[in-house]
Amino acid sequence: MKKWILILGIIMVLIGASLYAYSSFEKPKISESSFTVKGNEYISKNITVSSNNFIISITNPASHSGLVMSKNVSEITNISMLSSMSMPTYTSFGNIKEYRNMARGNYSFIEFSTAKPATSITYGPTGYLVYIGYVGDFATTLLVIGGIVLIAGVVLNKNFKLSKF
């Protein structure tokens, strides 16, 4: 019985680690290397919003930044123009800005910064991003519980040797 606790812990940790890796690699991202630079203005690639159920999540945005319609990018030359033409955020917390309920079309994220931004943009249909979030949460739970079960299995098997396993 004690050996099965150890085996169960190992299986849970392996499944949790694989699900965690899947959720980490599945997120569609644009990194800071995808930005076009014009002086101190950084412009992301086009983000195509194909439905009303779409989320654009910006991590580590510069203080002078915003999401604009791609057709208006050429008109934005300074911070005041950016603030007047940028879309309102759905929510903003910590170092994350989130945009939802946008009209269909192409959008770009613009930042004014003196240094190369460390911004990351994640976007996709609401259901997809929520699904990936749940997979990540489930993976973390499996890793924690599997680790506890694994430790309990090793402790209960006082004569545990890997060669006997």
Side-chain angles (χ1 to χ4, degrees):
M1 176 69 177
K2 295 174 186 176
K3 188 175 181 180
W4 287 105
I5 293 173
L6 182 63
I7 292 171
L8 178 65
I10 291 171
I11 291 170
M12 289 175 75
V13 166
L14 289 175
I15 292 172
S18 62
L19 286 174
Y20 192 78
Y22 169 75
S23 70
S24 297
F25 292 121
E26 237 353 80
K27 295 179 182 176
K29 284 192 173 183
I30 299 174
S31 66
E32 73 275 357
S33 61
S34 304
F35 284 76
T36 302
V37 182
K38 291 183 182 177
N40 65 345
E41 182 180 13
Y42 292 83
I43 305 167
S44 75
K45 292 182 178 177
N46 282 345
I47 301 168
T48 302
V49 174
S50 55
S51 72
N52 292 344
N53 299 323
F54 207 84
I55 297 175
I56 299 175
S57 180
I58 315 292
T59 307
N60 297 322
S63 56
H64 301 292
S65 60
L67 187 72
V68 297
M69 294 289 290
S70 292
K71 64 182 180 182
N72 298 333
V73 167
S74 60
E75 299 173 27
I76 298 172
T77 56
N78 56 44
I79 295 168
S80 62
M81 299 247 339
L82 175 63
S83 61
S84 67
M85 297 181 83
S86 62
M87 308 296 292
T89 56
Y90 177 80
T91 186
S92 182
F93 50 95
N95 64 342
I96 298 174
K97 286 183 178 182
E98 192 172 280
Y99 299 90
R100 293 186 186 186
N101 305 326
M102 297 164 293
R104 294 178 186 189
N106 292 322
Y107 295 85
S108 293
F109 189 74
I110 298 178
E111 294 185 319
F112 283 94
S113 177
T114 56
K116 186 176 181 181
T119 301
S120 173
I121 303 173
T122 305
Y123 60 93
T126 305
Y128 175 76
L129 292 179
V130 169
Y131 157 76
I132 290 298
Y134 285 149
V135 170
D137 292 345
F138 183 66
T140 303
T141 304
L142 268 180
L143 283 171
V144 170
I145 293 173
I148 292 169
V149 170
L150 181 65
I151 291 169
V154 170
V155 169
L156 290 174
N157 287 301
K158 293 179 180 164
N159 297 328
F160 173 73
K161 291 183 181 164
L162 195 56
S163 60
K164 289 183 179 180
F165 189 63

